[in-house]
Amino acid sequence: MNDIQNQDDLYLLVDDFYKKLLSDDSISYIFTDVVKIKIEEHLPILVTFWSQAILGTGGYTKNLTQIHLDVNAKEHLTPELFKIWLNHFNNSVDENFKGEKAEQIKTQALNIGTIMQVKITQEKGKKM
């Protein structure tokens, strides 16, 4: 099994990851009912994000935190949802890749999920 080396690898990863998310009823509604993503438009954005994060390519200009705060305003993103998200992400990495970048992307995903949960909690505290 190879390590993550390029954007094609990242596309394979996020495509596999979203197939898992969208087939899991405990989380799929966030993407199909709350956000109503168009997967063919969403995947290239995710590839650009992860490519910048893992391969240092740049190009991602959206505010990741604000996007998730906006989703949370529509439907609370619970710690359980983040656990499900991270589990599917790690499984997609482990089923397709092995190596330094594969470990790095899993650590980065954990960090992002943790930061998002902190930001959501902080936002909730501001509204009280």
Side-chain angles (χ1 to χ4, degrees):
M1 209 178 314
N2 292 327
D3 200 358
I4 298 167
Q5 297 173 15
N6 54 45
Q7 289 190 337
D8 289 341
D9 291 342
L10 290 169
Y11 191 91
L12 183 137
L13 172 61
V14 296
D15 185 53
D16 184 66
F17 172 52
Y18 267 77
K19 284 177 181 164
K20 286 176 175 32
L21 287 176
L22 294 172
S23 66
D24 183 339
D25 291 340
S26 65
I27 196 169
S28 63
Y29 70 96
I30 296 290
F31 304 95
T32 58
D33 299 338
V34 177
V35 181
K36 296 182 172 114
I37 63 164
K38 292 183 175 89
I39 197 73
E40 64 280 354
E41 295 172 12
H42 193 59
L43 290 184
I45 294 167
L46 292 171
V47 170
T48 300
F49 171 81
W50 285 114
S51 182
Q52 178 170 298
I54 301 303
L55 304 174
T57 55
Y60 185 82
T61 58
K62 297 182 183 292
N63 183 331
L64 184 67
T65 301
Q66 192 58 54
I67 291 167
H68 287 84
L69 289 175
D70 292 347
V71 173
N72 185 68
K74 295 177 185 177
E75 178 74 27
H76 180 53
L77 299 177
T78 64
E80 182 59 31
L81 288 170
F82 280 102
K83 285 179 193 164
I84 294 165
W85 177 87
L86 187 62
N87 185 51
H88 285 309
F89 190 84
N90 287 341
N91 286 341
S92 292
V93 174
D94 291 341
E95 290 167 9
N96 292 287
F97 301 101
K98 185 175 185 167
E100 184 180 330
K101 297 286 186 200
E103 293 306 312
Q104 182 184 351
I105 204 168
K106 290 191 296 184
T107 300
Q108 188 104 9
L110 173 61
N111 292 343
I112 289 167
T114 302
I115 290 166
M116 290 304 148
Q117 289 178 76
V118 168
K119 296 287 187 183
I120 286 167
T121 301
Q122 288 173 342
E123 191 74 9
K124 185 178 174 186
K126 288 179 192 175
K127 292 179 179 177
M128 294 183 133

